[in-house]
Amino acid sequence: MEWGTLVATLGGAVIAISGTVLADRLRTRQEVDRGLGARRREAYIDFIAAAGAAHTQLRGLAQAPDADTDLESASRAALTDARLYEVRERLFIEASATVAGAGQAMFEQLRALRSAVAAGAPVSSPAFHDAYHPYIASVWAYRVAVRDELEGQSLSPAVFGWHAWDGKERCPLCNGDLAGTG
């Protein structure tokens, strides 16, 4: 047997094995990336859904204040009952830094809204709206961050015919048009 043939055969085997190992690593990495993307998407949706549920409960408390209701306890329960703290922790584990930051900003604005409700601010009060509109803006900032990360597509208020995300331009109370449809 000639050495040239042996070296060529061994070289071909090394190339074939290397190609197989590289292809397997790339396939494994893609599967891991798909799994991470799916987990992130689920965490992102769970977080905004929990925040939405808490917001709905807070709004209900502010719309129909009951003299017998302890608004401080009820408003705290709104966040707890919606599992917001639990899904927020999951968000911090799964999310990119950008989305985690947007989620934390949204959480802080929701807590400010909770404080306004706990203080007895009804839905039609300036105190409620001073907390509500920054919260809505932060919800949209979170959505934009998630959309940008997952789909690489931007979203702006102009897409909806709005000037800003906070909703003030469509708010009858903030525009002094209490008879409007907002």
Side-chain angles (χ1 to χ4, degrees), residues 46-58 75-88 110:
D46 288 350
F47 180 71
I48 200 162
H55 168 250
T56 298
Q57 288 182 15
L58 290 172
S75 66
R76 286 186 186 280
L79 275 61
T80 304
D81 293 349
R83 298 180 36 245
L84 187 62
Y85 296 103
E86 177 186 329
V87 296
R88 179 173 152 250
L110 184 60

Side-chain angles (χ1 to χ4, degrees), residues 28-119:
T28 301
R29 183 176 295 162
Q30 288 173 345
E31 289 171 2
V32 167
D33 288 347
R34 274 195 301 271
L36 175 62
R39 286 192 321 270
R40 281 184 171 177
R41 182 179 297 271
E42 184 179 339
Y44 297 171
I45 291 170
D46 288 350
F47 180 71
I48 200 162
H55 168 250
T56 298
Q57 288 182 15
L58 290 172
R59 209 171 162 88
L61 289 170
Q63 284 176 330
D66 182 359
D68 295 333
T69 302
D70 176 5
L71 290 176
E72 180 67 34
S73 295
S75 66
R76 286 186 186 280
L79 275 61
T80 304
D81 293 349
R83 298 180 36 245
L84 187 62
Y85 296 103
E86 177 186 329
V87 296
R88 179 173 152 250
E89 290 304 318
R90 192 165 145 237
L91 178 76
F92 289 158
I93 292 168
E94 298 288 347
S96 67
T98 302
V99 173
Q104 180 61 21
M106 185 173 112
F107 175 77
E108 290 171 7
Q109 292 300 325
L110 184 60
R111 288 191 60 208
L113 181 62
R114 187 213 64 81
S115 293
V117 170

Side-chain angles (χ1 to χ4, degrees), residues 112-150:
L113 181 62
R114 187 213 64 81
S115 293
V117 170
V123 171
S124 60
S125 71
F128 182 89
H129 284 253
D130 287 347
Y132 173 76
H133 291 294
Y135 168 67
I136 293 302
S138 70
V139 168
W140 280 102
Y142 175 80
R143 289 173 177 155
V144 168
V146 168
R147 184 179 168 100
D148 186 49
E149 178 182 308
L150 295 179

Side-chain angles (χ1 to χ4, degrees), residues 147-171:
R147 184 179 168 100
D148 186 49
E149 178 182 308
L150 295 179
E151 299 176 8
Q153 297 178 351
S154 186
L155 191 61
S156 72
V159 170
F160 301 98
W162 305 337
H163 292 96
W165 288 124
D166 64 11
K168 282 186 180 183
E169 69 188 78
R170 300 174 309 282
C171 178

